[in-house]
Amino acid sequence: MRLEKCWFCSSTIYPGHGIQFVRNDAKIFRFCRSKCHKNFKMKRNPRKVKWTKAYRRLHGKDMTQDATFEFERKRNRPERYDRNLTENTLKAIKTIDKVKFRREETHHKNRMKGKVAKERKEARKELDQQIHMLVAPGAMVKDTSAAKVTVKVQHESTDENRMEE
Amino acid sequence: MRKVKFTQTNFHEKLSTIIEEFPRLDDIHPFYGDLLHVLYNKDHYKLALGQINTARNLISKIAKDYVKLLKYGDSLYRCKALKVAALGRMCTVTKRIGPSLAYLDQIRQHMARLPSIDPNTRTILICGYPNVGKSSFINKITRADVDVQPYAFTTKSLFVGHTDYKYLRYQVIDTPGILDRPFEDRNIIEMCSITALAHLRAAVLFFLDISGSCGYTIAQQSALFHSIKSLFMNKPLIIVCNKTDLQSLEGISEDDKNLVEEMKSEAMKTLIGQGGEPREGAEVLLTMSTLTEQGVIAVKNAACERLLDQRVEIKMKSKKINDCLNRFHVAVPKPRDQKERPPCIPQAVLEAKAKEAEKEKKRLEKDIEEENGGAGVYSASLKKHYLLAHDEWKEDNMPEILDGHNVYDFVDPDILQRLEELEKEEGLLQDQEDDEVEMDVEDLTPQQQKELAEIRKKKSLLIREHRIKKSTAESRPIVPRKFDKDKRFTSERMGRQLSSLGLDPSKAIERVRSKSRGRKRDRSTDHDMDVDNDGSNKKMRARSLSRSRSRPPTNELVPGEGFKDSAQKIKAFKLGKKSVQKRNKDAKKGVDDDHDLRRGWPVMTEVWMNVGGIKKIRVYDFESYFLFGRFHVCFILVSCYTFLNLWIFSDNYEMIFGFISQSSGVLSFSCLLFFLVKFELHKYESHFKLQARLQPNMKWALQNRRKT
């Protein structure tokens, strides 16, 4: 019994799920569910379909090259059973998983590094430019100009009065 | 037309198959012919078939007639009526032969169950009184399974069984019992066996019940024998005494013995007549008992032998034998000397055979399985013969899947080493991780954040509204502002929105209000005949709604439409309407179809005839023309004249007489006119070339058909 990978979305196919399609050239396509199968029948390229692993790897959303991927490789030559080896392997699988998970997290964090700064900048810009949705431009200009005028007049009158005197 | 023809062909086919499939009594073997005659009356049979034949011919004729008629059908309705009539007639014909078909069907079913008897091959016939043991005998020597019951006439028809003798197949036919009666009194069942006896060239076994337990004495049985012995001509006859377990041949009375001797002598006669070699009398008279099976085989062998001899004799006497004799030759090697020559077996084979016998058996897995409970209970451990470093590992169950990974993919001899390296790497990476990057850009103040949120809300609202408007614009028309029931376009609202934006709305509201029309009532009260208020009137006029453009009457010529005059316009409209009318494709009754054709009244029809080019003239059916047109006109005229005269001269009798003579003269004159018209029109007939095709009158068409 083996867990296979879905050809379209690269998720694991557990026993009892999915469909296998064998093409005339004897290439086997395995699908985890009908969604992937139907997408395949529509001749969609998984590298262009956003939610598949192929797309994510291609566009750098997910980690591509890592040492942890080397551990899991399909071996065609069977090994003679060794109890100790099996025990070690089982333990190793667990640690490798942990390491992989941590590395994925860092990858994601690095990807999202400049996001907050960018968002803030954009918010500031939007506020500056779209303020007319809240306050009409005419109203804003009038207020400022009125304020300026009043100040000037006061200043002159005091000067004149002084001069007359 | 096609439908009628199709139905006719169908009927023809089916009836033909019936007629052909039933055997003609004259064409088959006389045995079968007679059998059929016995079972189903020959005359009745032939009659039924004849009836079907006539029906078939009738249907063909009907179809032919109606197809010809259909060619002259003028309206769809008429054609449909004809088709219905044709099919109906065919159906009535078929209904009439219904009983014959049922009878033939019964015959067919019975015939299918008749046994297949080959009249030309070796046959053995068993006959005798009812209940003597014929069916039991046939059950014994063949694989046939005939009913054996204590009552007479258990066997009601012929049964066939097959048996072998000297590598040859013999048919054994079991017949129903025959009673001793004159020929005419016999019933169908007995006639079956009589027919078989008469026609089949077979060896006959006449069964005699020695014990008399069948209910008939030996005397009666021998009487029967003598009455049907004429049927035994040229057939090897064997008399079989059955039921010897109840009564042996020696134990019967003198009279009976005499009778039996008589029968035996008769049988001997046939033997002698057959071919010359008189053998022992035992060959002709045999005893047996079907119950104890004593002597049954002997009887069979005797019968088969006799038959075979007879057939061989006949064949020898025929001319064909000379051709065959040349081909027969059996070669037998002549012995040279007295030496014995047994078969030769090599020594090694003998030794091997001896060894096999003494070899001991190894304990197999199969034996173990059987010891431990058999196939369903014990399952062999496939891991028993594994070669591992430690034997205790043999029974280990290794997991294949863990956490969504295949364990086999990870199995590696130096996995530990690689894991160590990985851990080291991981440690380094963790140390190298940077702290959080400092933000250069500061966050917005809460006030600003609130404003931003409001801006975004308004924007999203606008977008949503726009999307709704966009999607419904195609399916639903947008209601104009005139019917604004939600009051979204009032000036107050506008004022409120403007003030929320921080602007002064009063000027805008004023401007908007000045441009609106206001209500009707207000208008009338405010501006009643005021010349001074020119401006407002002007405004009213400038804003007044234009009157809807009412359509001019249809006949009136509108210059832009392109018609020469109103008559042409009317015609155009008429043509347009006509072209839109639905065609009567459903074959419903039209105006012309209302006439009862059977009475033969001529129909007054119009035929549009193409006279050179586009122009068409209206020509009436000449027969109906003179009958309706002129004739009726004359009649009307004459009647008017007579009435007038009568009215004028009512009191004066003399004048009446005079008038009557006058009117008769007038009548005769009108008749003359009538005939003249007829002849006249005859002249014109050729001129107008009214051909048969244009004559829609059905009666005429029928007459014409008969002529051709």
Side-chain angles (χ1 to χ4, degrees), chain A residues 2-14:
Chain A
R2 262 191 79 83
L3 299 178
E4 305 286 354
K5 292 272 178 225
C6 173
W7 185 85
F8 198 81
C9 63
S10 317
S11 64
T12 49
I13 306 176
Y14 277 85

Side-chain angles (χ1 to χ4, degrees), chain B residues 412-669:
Chain B
D412 200 357
D414 33 88
I415 193 165
L416 282 174
Q417 182 204 19
R418 290 168 67 196
L419 193 62
E420 264 185 52
E421 289 173 19
L422 183 71
E423 293 275 329
K424 256 192 266 172
E425 222 184 290
E426 190 63 20
L428 286 170
L429 275 174
Q430 280 198 328
D431 296 336
Q432 278 173 22
E433 250 182 34
D434 294 335
D435 299 45
E436 287 200 16
V437 178
E438 294 230 343
M439 292 294 163
D440 300 329
V441 187
E442 301 129 10
D443 205 359
L444 299 170
T445 62
Q447 166 71 10
Q448 283 178 324
Q449 274 179 0
K450 232 194 291 180
E451 286 182 347
L452 187 63
E454 261 196 62
I455 290 171
R456 286 195 176 148
K457 206 160 75 168
K458 282 203 172 173
K459 269 218 268 190
S460 70
L461 197 72
L462 277 177
I463 291 169
R464 237 184 296 146
E465 276 190 4
H466 171 75
R467 282 197 183 140
I468 291 170
K469 236 188 346 175
K470 190 172 71 153
S471 67
T472 57
E474 291 170 5
S475 51
R476 288 187 298 175
I478 301 170
V479 178
R481 270 193 196 193
K482 211 163 57 155
F483 307 112
D484 171 31
K485 78 169 164 70
D486 292 334
K487 302 234 164 90
R488 282 189 290 144
F489 301 112
T490 57
S491 47
E492 283 107 28
R493 219 184 197 210
M494 187 181 78
R496 265 184 269 137
Q497 283 182 343
L498 283 175
S499 48
S500 73
L501 281 178
L503 297 167
D504 181 21
S506 47
K507 267 196 158 179
I509 291 174
E510 218 186 276
R511 191 174 56 220
V512 157
R513 287 214 172 125
S514 71
K515 289 217 173 142
S516 70
R517 288 193 69 187
R519 296 206 202 117
K520 203 169 174 184
R521 285 280 155 76
D522 302 339
R523 262 191 288 142
S524 57
T525 49
D526 284 355
H527 314 279
D528 44 14
M529 308 305 175
D530 251 17
V531 189
D532 302 334
N533 293 346
D534 261 331
S536 35
N537 262 346
K538 263 196 212 155
K539 189 174 76 171
M540 293 320 303
R541 252 187 269 128
R543 295 228 136 241
S544 61
L545 291 165
S546 48
R547 271 180 69 231
S548 60
R549 237 194 9 207
S550 50
R551 285 176 21 194
T554 331
N555 304 342
E556 203 180 275
L557 257 189
V558 180
E561 283 175 345
F563 290 112
K564 177 173 74 172
D565 54 9
S566 60
Q568 200 188 50
K569 187 172 178 188
I570 292 168
K571 191 160 186 230
F573 272 101
K574 260 198 184 169
L575 281 176
K577 275 192 216 157
K578 260 201 187 170
S579 68
V580 182
Q581 253 179 14
K582 244 180 100 171
R583 276 183 67 193
N584 182 13
K585 285 197 215 165
D586 299 333
K588 295 223 168 84
K589 244 189 186 183
V591 178
D592 284 339
D593 297 325
D594 250 338
H595 301 279
D596 193 351
L597 291 173
R598 263 184 270 167
R599 301 257 189 80
W601 288 112
V603 171
M604 181 73 153
T605 49
E606 296 172 7
V607 179
W608 285 95
M609 216 186 71
N610 213 337
V611 178
I614 310 163
K615 190 173 182 184
K616 286 192 182 170
I617 61 167
R618 217 157 60 166
V619 169
Y620 286 101
D621 172 20
F622 83 100
E623 197 177 349
S624 53
Y625 187 51
F626 76 77
L627 277 170
F628 275 111
R630 307 229 173 148
F631 177 60
H632 278 203
V633 162
C634 294
F635 183 74
I636 288 162
L637 274 172
V638 162
S639 53
C640 287
Y641 184 60
T642 46
F643 277 121
L644 197 68
N645 276 330
L646 273 171
W647 177 66
I648 290 170
F649 301 108
S650 49
D651 23 304
N652 204 336
Y653 290 112
E654 284 171 0
M655 289 303 250
I656 284 174
F657 283 131
F659 157 66
I660 285 169
S661 58
Q662 211 183 38
S663 52
S664 59
V666 165
L667 267 169
S668 55
F669 181 65

Side-chain angles (χ1 to χ4, degrees), chain A residues 3 75 80-81 83 103 136, chain B residues 387 396 406 409 426 501:
Chain A
L3 299 178
R75 285 152 237 271
R80 201 176 283 272
Y81 176 71
R83 193 187 272 182
R103 289 196 186 179
Chain B
L387 306 165
D396 264 359
N406 293 308
D409 292 345
E426 190 63 20
L501 281 178

Side-chain angles (χ1 to χ4, degrees), chain B residues 280-385:
Chain B
E280 312 88 59
E283 284 290 322
V284 183
L285 181 69
L286 295 163
T287 59
M288 71 168 196
S289 167
T290 45
L291 198 62
T292 59
E293 290 190 41
Q294 194 187 16
V296 171
I297 309 286
V299 170
K300 174 191 128 187
N301 288 347
C304 295
E305 194 70 44
R306 283 281 296 278
L307 185 63
L308 199 61
D309 288 340
Q310 195 210 23
R311 282 174 80 97
V312 167
E313 281 278 333
I314 289 171
K315 283 215 177 102
M316 296 268 275
K317 285 181 191 159
S318 72
K319 291 187 189 158
K320 282 198 224 166
I321 192 69
N322 297 324
D323 310 327
C324 297
L325 267 177
N326 298 332
R327 296 192 221 137
F328 293 143
H329 180 65
V330 181
V332 176
K334 274 197 284 210
R336 301 183 284 177
D337 48 22
Q338 305 297 48
K339 212 160 123 187
E340 206 184 287
R341 293 183 171 89
C344 169
I345 304 172
Q347 190 63 25
V349 170
L350 286 170
E351 283 172 10
K353 275 202 174 158
K355 243 200 218 171
E356 246 186 50
E358 46 169 73
K359 195 169 66 172
E360 56 161 286
K361 274 194 163 172
K362 209 169 60 174
R363 188 156 187 253
L364 303 169
E365 280 290 337
K366 221 170 32 166
D367 302 326
I368 300 174
E369 185 187 68
E370 274 185 50
E371 276 169 30
N372 291 28
V377 180
Y378 171 81
S379 57
S381 160
L382 299 163
K383 304 182 182 179
K384 234 188 336 188
H385 300 289

